[in-house]
Amino acid sequence: MTRRTFNPGRALAWVAMTVVIVVTVFPFWWMIRTALTPAADIYTDNASLLPEHPTMINFLRVLGLTSEAEARAAGGSGAHLNFAGYLWNSIVYCGLIAGVQTLFCAMAGYAFARLRFPGRDLVFAIVIAALMVPPIFTLLPNFILVKDLGWMNTMAGMVAPTILMTPFAVFFLRQFFLSLPRDVEEAAILDGNGPWGIFWRIALPMSRGPLITIGLTTTVWAWKDYLWPLLVGRDEENRLVTVALGVFLQQSPNTQPDWTGLMAASTLSVLPVLLLLVFVGKRLVQSLNFTGSK
């Protein structure tokens, strides 16, 4: 039996990876722990990794499943969230941005990779240059445009600035389309397919991995978006989960924030994205190889 020798480099790599994992996961764990902690124990029960008296009352009162008297007795402010409505708004917001943006970026990426037209390289250079423009610089022009269009406090105004494309997604998909074998496309041309048919019947099916990657990253980005939905979608009927968390914090009449309720609401807001990552994680890992295969 061969005896394995000690490898300092491998051991150091495992230690570094463990530290990174702990630093990444610990804030989420502490969020869940705080959500399960009674409000009365928030400042006394802070020495252990597990709550001494775990309870679900914080989740119930945030969802409005308790009376105001019960919520106040549990140490809360009496405020609650229309979580189902805010969740639906966030799903619609993310779904529109992720779906439409992924489709249009795929079209643009394929056009830059395969089509020949005057000014193609110049236009692509301008798109890449847009990566260096901080989003805060376009905030005011977008706000004025949406206001002039009469789209304030509407879902159309919330999704308008980012629904069509982002420079990174166009660049990412263009690089993948450049790697597709031309033999397959030439065979499709012989079968009578034009650029549009090749894109829909050949390029898109072979690009499922990268498309899922762009769709997933766009969904996560849109789900945690806060500033733009706060400016444009302030009405109750268009409010997103992230904006609702800030409103919930401001509703506390106490001198101290309702930390247990806020952490319970934050945990509920994270669950949909976590479930999405779990269900598409396998395809996401496969897409890192840029193969697009199952």
Side-chain angles (χ1 to χ4, degrees), residues 4 14 87 180 272 280 291:
R4 182 174 297 179
W14 277 103
L87 177 63
L180 292 180
V280 303
T291 60

Side-chain angles (χ1 to χ4, degrees), residues 23 45 53 64 69 87 96-97 124 132 134 141 146 159 166 183 200 209 217 230 247 254 257 283 294:
V23 171
D45 179 19
H53 308 96
L87 177 63
L96 285 173
I97 291 178
F124 182 68
M132 298 182 288
V146 168
V159 303
T166 57
D183 296 344
W200 281 106
T217 55
L230 175 65
V247 174
N254 303 325
R283 289 184 176 273
K294 290 184 178 181

Side-chain angles (χ1 to χ4, degrees), residues 86-105:
Y86 301 148
L87 177 63
W88 174 250
N89 290 339
S90 294
I91 291 175
V92 172
Y93 178 77
C94 296
L96 285 173
I97 291 178
V100 178
Q101 184 185 120
T102 301
L103 176 61
F104 276 82
C105 287

Side-chain angles (χ1 to χ4, degrees), residues 97-122:
I97 291 178
V100 178
Q101 184 185 120
T102 301
L103 176 61
F104 276 82
C105 287
M107 293 180 181
Y110 183 79
F112 285 126
R114 286 292 191 257
L115 302 184
R116 299 291 184 266
F117 54 89
R120 184 193 65 172
D121 295 338
L122 176 60

